[in-house]
Amino acid sequence: MSIWLALDYWTSITQESYLLVSAIILNTSWQLESITLVIDHCSESHTAGNVYHQVNQVLSHWDLDRCQVKSLCTDDAGNMVIAVELLEKQHVLCMAHVTALCDSRTKRMWH
């Protein structure tokens, strides 16, 4: 079984922070499955070390072997980039985040 993870933090309108970890799994029948592993309220800061720790907790909770994780998809925030390096996995940039950044930069350029 191979696993690809996607991670994202966001802040609610009430200024509460949340972490989403979702997985795409290639099962033994060569079928892709998508699952949300956790949406968790986070009171800790989003340092690379905390991200690393939280990902390991999620993998442990779901009894997933870190060796099965092929890559992690995140935005290009420094904490996420470093966390993926700490996890010793391939980093894949989230195209939705990249597109949103391009759109916001283009709007600033033309206004």
Side-chain angles (χ1 to χ4, degrees):
M1 177 169 56
S2 296
I3 304 166
W4 295 267
L5 297 180
L7 310 175
D8 193 23
Y9 281 101
W10 77 93
T11 303
S12 71
I13 59 173
T14 60
Q15 299 302 305
E16 295 180 289
S17 182
Y18 294 88
L19 169 67
L20 165 74
V21 180
S22 58
I24 302 293
I25 299 168
L26 182 63
N27 66 25
T28 55
S29 301
W30 292 92
Q31 296 174 330
L32 288 176
E33 300 174 16
S34 177
I35 183 171
T36 298
L37 299 177
V38 70
I39 299 174
D40 197 13
H41 180 263
C42 298
S43 56
E44 301 172 357
S45 63
H46 305 166
T47 65
N50 286 341
V51 175
Y52 171 83
H53 180 68
Q54 289 171 316
V55 170
N56 280 321
Q57 282 184 323
V58 170
L59 293 174
S60 176
H61 175 81
W62 285 90
D63 198 27
L64 298 171
D65 185 351
R66 225 171 87 183
C67 295
Q68 295 172 308
V69 176
K70 304 304 177 193
S71 66
L72 285 90
C73 179
T74 74
D75 60 17
D76 64 347
N79 61 330
M80 293 299 213
V81 173
I82 294 169
V84 174
E85 288 175 5
L86 291 172
L87 290 160
E88 300 177 336
K89 299 298 173 186
Q90 179 184 15
H91 186 234
V92 177
L93 284 178
C94 172
M95 287 309 296
H97 282 94
V98 171
T99 302
L101 286 174
C102 290
D103 184 51
S104 67
R105 289 177 181 152
T106 302
K107 285 179 183 173
R108 278 190 300 230
M109 194 168 57
W110 293 106
H111 288 126

